[in-house]
Amino acid sequence: MPKSAFLPEPAACWVDVDLTAAYVLKTQKNSGEIPWSAGGKTDPWDHVECAMGLTVAGYHGAARKAYEWSFSVQNPDGSWWSEYRNGAPAVASHKDANMTAYVAVGVYHYYLATGDDDFLAEAWPSVRRAIDFTLGLQEITGEIKWAKRKDGSISHRALLTGSSSIYKSLTCAIAIARIMEKDTSAWGLAQQRLGNAIAEAPHLFDQSKSAFAMDWYYPVLSGAIMGPAAAKRIKQSWETFVMAGWGVRCVADKAWVTMAETSELVITLAAMGNLSAAETVFKWMQDKKYDDGAFWTGVTYPEQVVYTQEKTSWTSAAVLLAADVLYDLCPASGLFRHIPSDPYQLSQNKSNTL
């Protein structure tokens, strides 16, 4: 699909991409690991998101180093621990299905941005093992249990946000597999069951998380729910989660907004083709950042108190990804758009005509 058929002429991107990416880069360790903040923990999902942010800004070497760190600490069963400290699993960590699967999104994003076939071949065994581990936690009804504990027991809960993110991971993993000329039939059937569960059987998922904004928009962001159903879902809870001029509440009954959730809503709206609303929400964040390019994690309202002084690398990475979806900063900018085409075809066009 030609770019002009999907996007209007964009306004200038107000984010200082280089400055914000430089903050993410500053948190990266020599090993390639990207923790939440200086001296903070690392989780595999946010680490990948940070690598994607670096890719958007053109720091391909640093992003590749981040993925290579991921490959080096992957467990033999294909999983990652939910938390690392200085490269070692934290005592209380578990094997999170969503955190494990997300490597496929990062790898495919990097490939779309760079066209690096050697990297894709290097990454494929890691992606394959990660997806196989994740689908080992899928129920026959489609939902995916969220984690395996250190003692080998499996949580009885399935999380809607996590399962929705896994849906997107499967889209990317299937695209990678087709490029590698591997059979994707089992993964395709698993994704179909998962998509049906997300769209048609919300009772299968833990309802205690429904007050979180991510449960609202992630089924749409991931592409599990599209078209009129997606528009209806976003409209239904808009007033609950969106604070005009400020951003998106992380939790429905809390008077504070977070920049990561706001960025992800921007991506969701852009994915649906609603570029005007996406850009409006995006601009609400322009004054919610530090002088060094890092964005606030959150802010309370009406007190206007910055919520947590920790400068989270993944918050800035989320802003970079939102900017990319809106302003085509790199050739991977179409990854989250709801374009009705085979994802394999995206990889065949590495220009900005996604």
Side-chain angles (χ1 to χ4, degrees):
M1 176 179 289
K3 175 180 170 184
S4 59
F6 183 82
L7 287 173
E9 284 299 317
C13 177
W14 53 262
V15 173
D16 189 329
V17 172
D18 288 337
L19 189 62
T20 298
Y23 174 74
V24 177
L25 189 65
K26 186 169 66 175
T27 66
Q28 186 175 33
K29 298 183 178 183
N30 290 335
S31 64
E33 177 185 2
I34 308 176
W36 274 32
S37 60
K41 69 176 182 179
T42 300
D43 82 50
W45 199 102
D46 290 313
H47 167 82
V48 167
E49 183 174 43
C50 286
M52 293 170 71
L54 292 175
T55 301
V56 166
Y59 290 103
H60 297 157
R64 181 165 184 160
K65 192 172 184 179
Y67 291 120
E68 289 173 344
W69 177 84
S70 293
F71 305 156
S72 73
V73 299
Q74 188 176 24
N75 295 317
D77 64 2
S79 69
W80 280 273
W81 296 106
S82 58
E83 181 180 336
Y84 291 82
R85 294 276 179 175
N86 297 316
V91 173
S93 56
H94 51 270
K95 297 175 178 180
D96 185 296
N98 173 39
M99 290 183 179
T100 292
Y102 205 65
V103 70
V105 178
V107 165
Y108 191 47
H109 180 265
Y110 184 89
Y111 177 74
L112 290 176
T114 65
D116 190 335
D117 294 312
D118 290 338
F119 170 77
L120 202 66
E122 175 189 348
W124 166 247
S126 182
V127 171
R128 176 183 54 76
R129 288 186 289 125
I131 296 301
D132 286 345
F133 170 84
T134 300
L135 293 182
L137 299 178
Q138 186 174 34
E139 295 292 306
I140 190 66
T141 42
E143 76 277 21
I144 294 177
K145 300 305 183 183
W146 78 279
K148 179 179 283 190
R149 304 182 184 93
K150 281 190 172 181
D151 64 5
S153 63
I154 297 173
S155 170
H156 69 280
R157 295 188 300 159
L159 306 181
L160 181 58
T161 295
S163 288
S164 298
S165 179
I166 291 169
Y167 184 90
K168 183 63 178 181
S169 295
L170 284 167
T171 297
C172 295
I174 289 169
I176 294 168
R178 290 179 178 174
I179 296 167
M180 300 297 296
E181 299 183 346
K182 306 294 183 181
D183 180 23
T184 65
S185 56
W187 290 357
L189 290 172
Q191 187 186 37
Q192 184 177 14
R193 291 197 302 271
L194 177 59
N196 289 340
I198 292 168
E200 307 294 340
H203 64 278
L204 295 173
F205 301 94
D206 184 358
Q207 298 302 304
S208 71
K209 300 292 185 180
S210 60
F212 287 79
M214 289 189 293
D215 262 23
W216 165 49
Y217 61 72
Y218 245 96
V220 179
L221 186 156
S222 69
I225 297 177
M226 299 171 64
K232 180 180 178 181
R233 184 181 186 90
I234 295 303
K235 182 178 180 180
Q236 280 179 333
S237 296
W238 184 271
E239 296 296 331
T240 300
F241 291 107
V242 176
M243 298 177 68
W246 287 86
V248 176
R249 300 175 190 260
C250 179
V251 187
D253 61 349
K254 304 297 182 183
W256 48 274
V257 300
T258 52
M259 299 311 103
E261 274 79 359
T262 303
S263 296
E264 289 178 338
L265 180 61
V266 170
I267 294 171
T268 302
L269 294 169
M272 297 165 62
N274 194 341
L275 274 294
S276 177
E279 188 167 46
T280 296
V281 174
F282 188 61
K283 287 181 177 179
W284 293 345
M285 297 187 291
Q286 63 183 307
D287 59 346
K288 298 174 178 65
K289 57 186 175 183
Y290 300 97
D291 291 340
D292 63 0
F295 277 76
W296 301 347
T297 299
V299 61
T300 63
Y301 178 86
E303 297 85 358
Q304 301 184 37
V305 175
V306 175
Y307 177 78
T308 180
Q309 294 302 309
E310 183 182 28
K311 295 182 180 180
T312 47
S313 55
W314 45 267
T315 294
S316 294
V319 174
L320 290 171
L321 288 168
D324 191 33
V325 170
L326 279 175
Y327 303 114
D328 289 314
L329 303 179
C330 86
S333 61
L335 180 62
F336 291 101
R337 296 180 193 151
H338 292 180
I339 299 172
S341 64
D342 187 327
Y344 173 72
Q345 296 302 317
L346 292 178
S347 67
Q348 304 307 297
N349 187 348
K350 304 183 186 76
S351 70
N352 278 341
T353 60
L354 295 180

